[in-house]
């Protein structure tokens, strides 16, 4: 799944997001392919948030000729820089690795990265105005955009586009990714009062999440039983929001003496560490409880015995820890990053556990493990799965079916709802619960006259 929507109105061309396809290796060609429009003709990119499936091809867009303005929130701007530079670095490393393989096979045409670190840094010349929640931004005569808190990750937004011409006005609301209500760190999603058209994500349109309290209990049980067996707890972690939420939960459980105060916690993710620092700079996006803790000089993201691991050598050293530790590392879907090394050293051990706390797309190593694979391939080696596997979806940063419906029902005047950013079963299930109105399930390349 990826997000990239083109709106044409009042002689302007506006992209809502410009995301990277993520999942298996078969999606590489989708990322390389032409956009389906000429990048140089785009006037604005309105970015809902800084996850790669929403911002990941902005450097490629600029590389191919985009010279318009990227508009997003202050927190998303900081996080996007972090995410895009990291993505570019990983692509450069992957291209170098494939080049070595090709040379050994006698190939002459060497693979190149989708974009480089320089490309990622250059695209920030295109980032212009900063959006504030609830304050309209004028894009052109009769055309404005307003960002509303989506509660998904720090700085995330739903975006309302309003256009007026010749006495006629139309509004289209893009949900972006929606978060859950009443979370400990972020605020509850806040949609506008009305919109003519709603383009809405449907990631979990076919299911309900467990409650957060139940999920915390399950995480506590998973950690406690694993420590009792003498193993490690491996948590594949998304660097933005999920890592911070889990740190907050671990802090609470240790302060309540439910988890041992001597338990070692490793946050083995330079990006998650940097993202945590960005959290502390943006109280405007935080829940009142989290903001108050920061104001009072207490850090909700700092449990006891937390080790922040930036250097590769320190990451390798964690492999010598055979038990008693919680190891959090990216990526959350196990498609890259340091988590694969920790899986390689722990997933074959019966005393250890792997705890998934987020969405896993089809084709990813995370989904293979969740679906019960007997072994997984890591660094060219088939590793047997013997550790206990937990899937705790109550920590998801995405709204579930009930919350999606509640968000949608709060918006008046809607003539049609377009369901996007979800697998087919999820979209179909959600569509059946939106009776009495036009519901569309668009596919890649579909066009609509609104």
């Amino acid at each position: 799944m990826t997000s990239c929507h083109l709106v044409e109105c009042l002689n302007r061309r506006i992209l809502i997001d410009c995301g990277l396809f993520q999942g298996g290796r078969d999606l590489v060609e989708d990322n390389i392919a032409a956009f389906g429009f000429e990048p140089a003709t785009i006037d604005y990119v309105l970015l809902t948030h800084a996850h790669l499936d929403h911002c990941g091809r902005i450097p490629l867009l600029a590389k191919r000729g985009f010279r318009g303005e990227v508009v997003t929130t202050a927190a998303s701007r900081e996080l996007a820089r972090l995410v895009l530079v990291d993505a570019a670095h990983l692509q450069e490393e992957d291209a170098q690795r494939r080049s070595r393989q090709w040379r050994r096979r006698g190939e002459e045409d060497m693979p190149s990265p989708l974009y480089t670190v320089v490309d990622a840094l250059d695209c920030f010349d295109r980032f212009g105005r900063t959006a504030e929640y609830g304050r309209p931004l004028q894009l052109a005569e009769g055309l404005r955009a307003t960002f509303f808190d989506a509660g998904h990750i720090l700085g995330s937004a739903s975006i309302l586009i309003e256009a007026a011409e010749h006495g006629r006005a139309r509004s289209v609301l893009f949900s972006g990714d929606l978060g859950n209500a009443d979370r400990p760190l972020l605020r509850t999603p806040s949609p506008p009062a009305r919109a003519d058209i709603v383009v809405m994500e449907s990631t979990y349109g076919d299911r309900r999440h467990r409650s957060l309290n139940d999920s915390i209990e399950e995480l506590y049980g998973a950690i406690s039983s694993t420590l009792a067996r003498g193993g490690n707890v491996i948590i594949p972690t998304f660097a933005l929001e999920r890592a911070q939420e889990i740190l907050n939960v671990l802090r609470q459980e240790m302060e309540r003496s439910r988890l041992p105060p001597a338990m070692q916690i490793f946050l083995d993710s330079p990006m998650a560490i940097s993202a945590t620092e960005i959290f502390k700079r943006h109280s405007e996006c935080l829940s009142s409880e989290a903001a108050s803790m920061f104001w009072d000089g207490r850090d909700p993201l700092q449990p006891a015995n937390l080790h922040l691991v930036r250097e590769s050598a320190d990451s390798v050293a964690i492999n010598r820890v055979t038990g008693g530790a919680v190891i959090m590392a990216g990526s959350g879907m196990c498609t890259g990053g340091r988590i694969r090394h920790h899986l390689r050293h722990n997933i074959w051990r019966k005393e250890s556990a792997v705890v998934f706390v987020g969405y896993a797309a089809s084709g990813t190593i995370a989904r293979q493990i969740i679906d019960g694979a007997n072994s997984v391939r890591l660094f060219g080696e088939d590793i047997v799965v013997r550790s206990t596997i937990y899937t705790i979806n109550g920590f998801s940063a995405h709204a579930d079916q009930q919350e999606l419906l509640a968000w949608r029902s709060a918006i008046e005047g809607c003539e049609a709802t377009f369901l996007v950013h979800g697998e087919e079963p999820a979209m179909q299930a959600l569509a059946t619960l939106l009776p009495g109105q036009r519901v569309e399930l668009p596919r890649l390349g579909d066009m609509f006259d609104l």
Side-chain angles (χ1 to χ4, degrees):
M1 295 183 294
T2 188
S3 178
C4 185
H5 306 288
L6 174 60
V7 176
E8 297 182 87
C9 61
L10 298 177
N11 297 316
R12 296 293 191 277
R13 305 190 91 199
I14 305 164
L15 281 187
I16 308 297
D17 293 336
C18 189
L20 193 73
F21 291 94
Q22 293 180 281
R25 298 289 301 179
D26 55 331
L27 295 179
V28 170
E29 293 301 320
D30 291 326
N31 285 319
I32 295 173
F35 283 100
F37 52 82
E38 181 54 50
T41 67
I42 301 300
D43 297 292
Y44 298 98
V45 175
L46 306 182
L47 177 60
T48 62
H49 66 285
H51 276 150
L52 271 180
D53 56 341
H54 291 257
C55 72
R57 285 203 295 171
I58 292 177
L60 185 63
L61 189 75
K63 183 179 178 181
R64 292 181 178 176
F66 168 66
R67 293 298 179 267
E69 181 185 13
V70 180
V71 181
T72 192
T73 63
S76 288
R77 181 195 296 255
E78 283 199 66
L79 290 173
R81 185 181 183 89
L82 178 68
V83 167
L84 292 176
V85 170
D86 180 74
H89 179 68
L90 292 175
Q91 289 169 41
E92 288 181 343
E93 286 186 336
D94 184 60
Q96 291 169 0
R97 183 167 52 251
R98 286 185 289 126
S99 292
R100 290 193 294 269
Q101 294 171 346
W102 287 27
R103 281 196 296 269
R104 287 194 291 267
R105 295 201 303 263
E107 302 276 356
E108 294 184 1
D109 295 329
M110 291 296 103
S112 58
L114 188 65
Y115 51 82
T116 66
V117 170
V118 171
D119 295 326
L121 292 172
D122 284 348
C123 85
F124 280 88
D125 290 341
R126 310 265 56 87
F127 279 65
R129 287 170 289 178
T130 299
E132 297 180 29
Y133 292 135
R135 296 190 65 177
L137 283 171
Q138 197 79 15
L139 302 180
E141 181 80 26
L143 180 62
R144 67 180 191 175
T146 308
F147 287 57
F148 294 87
D149 196 338
H152 173 59
I153 66 170
L154 193 78
S156 62
S158 302
I159 302 175
L160 179 70
I161 297 179
E162 299 172 281
E165 188 176 33
H166 304 310
R168 188 181 182 209
R170 297 289 284 169
S171 60
V172 184
L173 175 64
F174 292 85
S175 72
D177 286 353
L178 297 170
N180 302 282
D182 302 320
R183 306 301 281 194
L185 294 180
L186 299 182
R187 298 188 304 196
T188 295
S190 176
R194 62 180 298 109
D196 297 321
I197 305 293
V198 174
V199 182
M200 176 178 166
E201 71 117 320
S202 56
T203 307
Y204 286 115
D206 58 346
R207 70 194 75 173
R208 295 278 304 277
H209 295 324
R210 294 189 67 182
S211 73
L212 180 59
N213 287 337
D214 287 346
S215 299
I216 290 172
E217 285 300 312
E218 187 173 358
L219 178 62
Y220 162 74
I223 294 173
S224 296
S225 59
T226 304
L227 296 184
R229 291 195 303 269
N232 292 322
V233 179
I234 310 300
I235 307 180
T237 310
F238 294 100
L240 311 187
E241 198 276 332
R242 198 64 41 77
Q244 292 77 33
E245 186 164 17
I246 297 300
L247 287 176
N248 182 52
V249 168
L250 294 177
R251 175 194 60 79
Q252 288 179 332
E253 296 302 289
M254 293 174 80
E255 288 178 356
R256 294 169 181 167
S257 299
R258 298 224 302 160
L259 290 175
M263 181 180 74
Q264 302 298 302
I265 302 169
F266 296 90
L267 181 58
D268 187 14
S269 169
M271 187 163 68
I273 295 167
S274 296
T276 301
E277 294 169 352
I278 293 171
F279 254 76
K280 300 173 185 180
R281 293 198 289 269
H282 289 280
S283 60
E284 78 277 5
C285 301
L286 301 180
S287 69
S288 57
E289 178 184 358
S292 294
M293 287 190 69
F294 280 123
W295 294 334
D296 292 341
R298 297 178 295 144
D299 190 341
L301 309 180
Q302 185 72 36
N305 300 318
L306 173 64
H307 305 276
L308 302 178
V309 183
R310 288 189 180 271
E311 301 301 325
S312 297
D314 295 330
S315 176
V316 172
I318 299 173
N319 296 327
R320 295 196 291 268
V321 180
T322 59
V326 173
I327 303 169
M328 302 165 59
S331 71
M333 297 190 197
C334 308
T335 53
R338 297 177 179 180
I339 189 63
R340 294 179 300 166
H341 295 276
H342 298 302
L343 289 174
R344 184 184 188 185
H345 285 85
N346 287 275
I347 201 168
W348 57 271
R349 301 175 60 215
K350 290 183 179 180
E351 61 268 32
S352 289
V354 181
V355 181
F356 292 98
V357 292
Y359 180 77
S362 297
T364 61
I365 292 176
R367 178 63 74 89
Q368 293 171 27
I369 297 170
I370 290 169
D371 288 346
N374 293 319
S375 66
V376 291
R377 193 161 186 81
L378 297 165
F379 305 103
E381 182 181 3
D382 291 323
I383 310 293
V384 67
V385 178
R386 290 199 185 100
S387 62
T388 304
I389 309 300
Y390 296 87
T391 304
I392 309 177
N393 67 16
F395 290 109
S396 174
H398 283 272
D400 67 7
Q401 184 186 78
Q402 184 181 39
E403 289 169 320
L404 289 170
L405 292 171
W407 181 89
R408 172 61 191 82
S409 66
I411 302 164
E412 297 181 354
C414 180
E415 302 166 9
T417 301
F418 290 74
L419 297 180
V420 298
H421 205 69
E423 294 177 357
E424 190 71 22
M427 289 194 290
Q428 292 284 359
L430 190 60
T432 63
L433 299 175
L434 295 169
Q437 60 170 281
R438 176 185 169 193
V439 180
E440 299 278 358
L441 279 64
R443 297 183 181 276
L444 184 65
D446 285 353
M447 300 177 65
F448 299 89
D449 185 353
L450 304 179

